[in-house]
Each structure stands twice: as C-alpha cells, then as structure tokens.
C-alpha cells in the first residue's frame, strides 16, 4: 500500500502563472486565424506556450485560482480577500458591471469588503464564496443559475436576464461553489444546493424541469430554477467536496462514497451505462476496499471525471480523448500511480495535476495550454510540464484554451518564467442586435456542450 501523503504546511500565498491563449474572444471557437485581420492579431494576442507571470500580480500574493471546464474567463483571489477576473465578458461574467473584455486581471469592485475564498466560472456566469459563508453570482441568469431567487425580464439588446454585478445568492454557510454550463452547485455545511437549467437532471432533484411549450407540436423548453434547493438523496451523509462538468456533477462524502448525476453520455457518470441520472447515484467502484479519502481530489471536465480512491490513486472515467473509447466506470490513471496529487483540474478536454514537486498536464491542447513550450503542443498521455519541474505547485486551474498554476514563491524555476501583459487591457464589447425581451428558461439542444466536446446520453432513466 502506498504511503499516505505527507502533511503540508499551511498555504500562505504564491505566484500565479498562466499559459495558453490570450485572444479570449476567439478561444474555443472555430473560424479564427483564417483572414488577414485574424493573422495580424497573433502578435497582439500571442499563445503563451510556457507558464508565464502576469505583470498585474508582481506585488500581489495569490491565495487561490479558479476557472471551469466551460469557462473562457479566469479568477484569482489574493491574501487580502480581493477577487480578480479577466477574459471573455460577453454576458457580464467578469462581474465588472459591463460587457467589456478584460485582457489583464482586474479587481471585482462589487465584492470589495467581502473576503473571497473561492470562485467558479460557467460558460456565461460566475459565482464566488466569501469567508463568512455568503455566496455571490453574476452574469447570464436566463435559467436562474445565479441563485438569486428570480429571473427578470430581458433588457434590449439581450434576450436573457443578465446580472451585471455580484449579487447575493439565497445561500448560507457556503464553503464551495461549482459552475456548469448554465447551472450552479453550492456546498453548504455538508449539503448541496443547486439552481439553474435542470436539463439532464443536473439539479439532482429527481426531474429535469422540461415542459412542452407548444400545444400543436413539440418544443421542449426548460423551466428556470432560480431559487437554490437541496440536492436529493444525500441527507444521511456529510458532503465534503463537489465538482461540476459541462452537464454533469460529482460529490463525495465523509463515509468514502462518491456520487454522480446529470448527463450520462460517454460514461462520464461512471455507472457502466450511458444513462442520465436526475438524482445523485453512488458509484459502485468507490465502495468497500476502495473508499474515497477525506482529502481526495475531485474534478469534472467536458465529458470526463476524476476522483482519488484508495492509496491516493487517481481514477478516471468518461471520454478523455477526442478519438478514444469511452471509459464507462472508474479505473486508475496508471501514469499517476505513486504520485501524491494535491490539485487536479479539467478544461473541456485538457487536464492538469499538481503532484509532489511536479506538474503533469495532457490532453487535446490548441493554444499551448499544457505549458510544454514551443516544441510540444499537446500530449495524449500524462506528461511532466518541464518548466515547473522541481518545485511546489499548490493549485492548478483549467478553462477553454488556458491553464493556470499557483506556485510557491520559492519555486526554483520561477526565475525562468517569462512575464507578459497585454497592451490592450480592455476591449469594447460587441453587443448583439436589439431584440425583444424574453422570459426565463429557454431552449437548448439536447446534445449541447460547450467547446463541442459532448453529447447526450443514449438512455434516459425511467421514472
């Protein structure tokens, strides 16, 4: 049996490094870099191929970093409780009260005076948790994913309700938040709360909140769930951690059990069948002699899932490779055997782990987000990120086309990291054409997945 991971000293802050794309308006989208004007942008919006320091944070001690598998925007929290955000902002997901893209980290003024300890990004919305157990959310709220208890009528030129500034969620005693494409999970005193779009059963309340909007034909819409409610079936356990992929959810409890629910396509729920689950279902692999430890890593990507099992062995399931087979139930990641993994993150199809004195990355990278440097852009299997080898990395975070690393200030390779800052800190938004206001809720394709990486489950659980 592998030895237990050594107890690590209390984290007192470090240095943020970033690699991947800087053209946030184009990341994860097709059709770019084909016209002359797009090619001309490459010098202004370079792909940062090695872990790179951001000039904004030169004198700032960073406590945590965050993004999300459906997010094209970034978060960092400093030692004074301030939250910074930057990246795509087409629906106000940065929380700065406007739609202007930020190419450099910018303090979220609406959270001034609130000591932020965590954050998460969905496709077009975001959420944060403060030290006093409060939660705030902002961005698109068409499905109630901000958890404020209401979905307001849309204001032109937008067709959806948008919350431009951090707004208090109807949540108390919160320790963690996780955002999917258009839903949000909050971990509150050992219980999970959920709000947003219930498609695939991601809200975990036994239904998907769908209805037919047409009398004479079929038009399936999804009711907005704006008031957070408790996820069902976990009343007898204390949940320790949660994770949200594009359209599926994970959690583990203090008894060593691991649960999944939501979209069952590609085996991402780990139940050996491609079937949606509208309530948490315990994953059989993590029982008896393979219980989840209380300090386990837990992560969900576009179509993949990860969790630590016995002897600190990282397990994976779902679809990890674009051209690979589906892994229908959890199996150990052989390339991570023997590593003590302290942090793990998923992009839509890229993965990063901070383990011992190394960082390990892999996946279908398109913008240098694995941090290998100019000679290697992607890797089908886990590989060391050589520029960060030999020092302590506290945390990793992934999004669409980028990866962030939070490293110890004494990291021996830190002096080698280049520094970058955009010469265009803010970009004016491109607003849609004026449209009439709409109601909360809306239509979404059954196989809709951000970054084109997923599909619906083949079977729907009978009710």
């Amino acid at each position: 049996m592998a030895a237990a991971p050594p107890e690590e000293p209390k984290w007192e802050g470090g240095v943020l490094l970033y690699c991947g794309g800087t053209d946030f308006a184009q990341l994860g989208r097709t059709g770019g870099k084909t016209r002359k004007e797009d090619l001309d942008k490459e010098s202004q919006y370079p792909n940062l191929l090695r872990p790179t320091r951001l000039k904004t944070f030169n004198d700032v001690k960073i406590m945590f970093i965050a993004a999300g598998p459906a997010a094209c925007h970034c978060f960092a929290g400093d030692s004074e409780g301030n939250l910074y955000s930057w990246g795509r902002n087409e629906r106000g997901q940065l929380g700065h009260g406007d739609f202007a893209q930020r190419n450099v980290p910018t303090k979220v003024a609406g959270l001034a005076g609130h000591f932020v300890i965590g954050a998460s990004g969905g496709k077009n919305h975001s959420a944060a948790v403060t030290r006093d157990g409060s939660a705030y959310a902002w961005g698109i709220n068409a499905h109630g994913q901000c958890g404020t208890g209401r979905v307001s009528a849309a204001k032109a030129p937008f067709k959806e309700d948008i919350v431009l500034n951090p707004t208090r969620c109807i949540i108390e005693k919160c320790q963690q938040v996780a955002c999917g494409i258009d839903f949000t999970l909050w971990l509150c005193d050992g219980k999970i709360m959920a709000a947003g779009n219930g498609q695939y059963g991601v809200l975990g309340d036994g239904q998907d909140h769908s209805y037919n909007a047409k009398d004479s034909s079929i038009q399936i819409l999804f009711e907005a769930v704006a008031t957070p409610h408790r996820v069902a079936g976990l009343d007898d356990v204390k949940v320790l951690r949660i994770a949200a992929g594009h359209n599926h959810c994970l959690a583990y409890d203090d008894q060593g059990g691991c649960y999944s629910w939501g979209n069952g396509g590609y085996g991402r729920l780990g139940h050996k069948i491609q079937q949606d689950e509208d309530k948490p279902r315990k994953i059989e692999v993590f029982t008896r002699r393979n219980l989840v430890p209380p300090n386990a890593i837990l992560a969900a990507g576009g179509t993949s899932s990860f969790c630590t099992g016995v002897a600190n062995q990282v397990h994976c399931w779902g679809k990890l490779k674009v051209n690979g087979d589906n892994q229908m139930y959890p199996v150990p990641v052989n390339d991570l055997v023997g590593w003590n993994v302290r942090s793990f993150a998923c992009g839509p199809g890229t993965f990063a782990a901070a383990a011992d004195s190394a960082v390990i990355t892999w996946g279908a990278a398109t913008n240098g987000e694995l941090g290998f440097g100019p000679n290697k852009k992607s890797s089908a299997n886990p590989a060391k990120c050589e520029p960060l080898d030999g020092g302590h990395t506290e945390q990793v975070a992934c999004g669409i086309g980028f990866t962030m690393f939070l490293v110890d200030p004494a990291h021996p390779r830190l002096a080698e990291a280049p520094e970058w800052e955009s010469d265009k800190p803010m970009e004016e938004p491109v607003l849609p054409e004026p449209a009439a206001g709409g109601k909360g809720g809306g239509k979404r394709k059954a196989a809709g997945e951000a970054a084109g990486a997923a599909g619906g489950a083949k079977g729907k659980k009978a009710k």
Side-chain angles (χ1 to χ4, degrees), residues 130-219:
T130 60
R131 189 164 56 184
D132 65 0
S134 301
Y136 297 81
W138 56 94
I140 196 168
N141 191 44
H143 297 281
Q145 55 261 57
C146 289
T148 60
R150 60 179 295 180
V151 176
S152 302
K155 296 180 180 179
F158 297 98
K159 299 179 181 180
E160 316 95 348
D161 176 29
I162 293 178
V163 179
L164 279 178
N165 293 292
T167 301
R168 180 77 180 267
C169 307
I170 306 177
I171 290 292
E172 295 180 347
K173 300 180 180 179
C174 187
Q175 297 98 31
Q176 187 197 349
V177 65
C179 296
I181 284 183
D182 49 14
F183 67 93
T184 307
L185 303 178
W186 296 267
L187 178 59
C188 304
D189 199 23
K191 305 301 177 185
I192 307 173
M193 307 295 289
N197 189 335
Q199 188 174 8
Y200 308 112
V202 293
L203 301 186
D205 59 354
Q207 55 182 318
D208 63 6
H209 297 273
S210 64
Y211 64 95
N212 186 8
K214 297 277 188 178
D215 292 331
S216 58
S217 61
I218 297 177
Q219 183 184 11

Side-chain angles (χ1 to χ4, degrees), residues 18 38 76-77 100 110 115 118 146 166 211 221 280 283-284 368 451:
Y18 178 100
D38 290 326
F115 199 103
C146 289
Y211 64 95
L221 301 182
I283 301 174
E284 293 181 4

Side-chain angles (χ1 to χ4, degrees), residues 59 83 85 89 186-187 239 255 290 329-330 358 360 384 425 448:
D59 299 315
L83 183 69
S85 67
N89 194 34
W186 296 267
L187 178 59
V239 177
Q255 304 300 310
N290 191 26
Y329 57 90
I360 300 165
K384 277 188 178 182

